Amino acid sequence: MPSASDLPLSNTLRLASASPRRRDLLASIGVEVEACPVDIDETPHPGEQAVDYVARLARTKATFGQRAGLAQPGAASEDRVTLGSDTAVVRDGQILGKPADAAEGFAMLRSLSGRDHQVMTAVAVTGPAGLLEVTVVTDVTMRMIEDAEIHAYWRSGEPQDKAGGYAIQGLAAVFVERIAGSHSAVVGLPLFETAALLRQQGMALWCGALP
C-alpha cells in the first residue's frame, strides 16, 4: 500500500451522505465537502450485530458514492476521495433507529433514561490507498429524565429525525450525564479517527500533510 507521501493531495472530499452534521464536522477540521448522497437499503441482516451493521453500511455508502462519482463525465479512477459513515444508537444490543412518531420517540428516550447505552459510528473511506475503515464505540450515560421533559423535547422537533430519538449536540445535551469515548462520533463522525483515514488517503488537512 502506498504511503501518504506518495499519494496525490486534495482538500475536497466526496461525502456519501446528505447529513449536515457530518458536513459541519468535516468543515471544522478544514475539509471541503462535495455532498453525494446515496440511496441504499439500511435494513439490518438477520442476526447481524450492531457493530457489524454500521460497518457494512459505511462501506456500502463509500463504495456506492465512489461509483456514482466515477460515473460522472471526466472522472478518473484516482478521482475524489469518498467517505461513507453510519451511526447507530444501541441499547442492550438493540439498534434504535429514528422514531416514527411521538409515541415511539417517547418510548426510546424513556428506555435510555437513567442508564448507559452505546453509540456506534463506522467510517469508510475509498481512495488511492484503497478502502480504509474504522468503527468507534462511545458509551453514553443519561440522567433520569422526567416524562414531561421527554414530551417537551419531542415538541421541540429536534428528535424526530435522529437515531435513538435525541441529538447530543442540541437540546438533549442536558440529558447526558457523561460519555466515555468520542463526542464527535456521537454527533455523527469521529474526527480523530476520520482525520487519520483521510491523511492515509493523501488528503491535506488544515495542519498539512504530516507524517
Side-chain angles (χ1 to χ4, degrees):
M1 179 178 296
S3 66
S5 61
D6 297 325
L7 301 175
L9 296 180
S10 170
N11 64 347
T12 304
L13 173 73
R14 180 181 293 113
L15 177 63
S17 169
S19 168
R21 293 175 294 280
R22 293 193 176 108
R23 185 172 61 246
D24 291 345
L25 285 167
L26 288 163
S28 75
I29 59 171
V31 178
E32 297 180 16
V33 170
E34 173 192 336
C36 184
V38 297
D39 184 17
I40 66 170
D41 182 1
E42 300 191 7
T43 305
H45 292 166
E48 187 174 33
Q49 297 296 309
V51 68
D52 298 322
Y53 167 76
V54 293
R56 175 174 61 83
L57 290 192
R59 287 193 301 270
T60 302
K61 290 176 182 179
T63 302
F64 277 41
Q66 181 188 44
R67 291 174 183 170
L70 292 176
Q72 297 175 357
S77 59
E78 65 275 11
D79 192 32
R80 209 69 51 81
V81 174
T82 304
L83 183 149
S85 183
D86 193 74
T87 299
V89 175
V90 183
R91 185 203 62 234
D92 297 332
Q94 178 185 3
I95 299 171
L96 302 182
K98 299 175 183 179
D101 51 32
E104 187 174 17
F106 178 88
M108 280 187 185
L109 202 51
R110 198 75 189 87
S111 74
L112 300 176
S113 173
R115 55 171 299 178
D116 296 340
H117 65 275
Q118 289 72 48
V119 177
M120 301 180 182
T121 298
V123 183
V125 182
T126 63
L131 175 63
L132 308 176
E133 61 182 294
V134 66
T135 299
V136 174
V137 180
T138 302
D139 293 316
V140 180
T141 302
M142 293 281 198
R143 66 165 171 82
M144 293 298 300
I145 309 172
E146 300 294 334
D147 289 358
E149 292 179 298
I150 299 176
H151 288 304
Y153 183 51
W154 180 264
R155 290 194 297 271
S156 76
E158 182 177 276
Q160 297 176 20
D161 64 341
K162 306 297 190 300
Y166 77 93
I168 195 172
Q169 74 277 16
L171 299 174
V174 301
F175 302 148
V176 178
E177 182 176 336
R178 61 180 177 272
I179 71 169
S182 169
H183 181 276
S184 63
V186 181
V187 178
L189 202 65
L191 290 180
F192 176 82
E193 293 81 1
T194 298
L197 294 183
L198 295 181
R199 287 171 59 191
Q200 289 180 66
Q201 293 288 10
M203 291 197 67
L205 304 183
W206 68 268
C207 49
L210 302 178

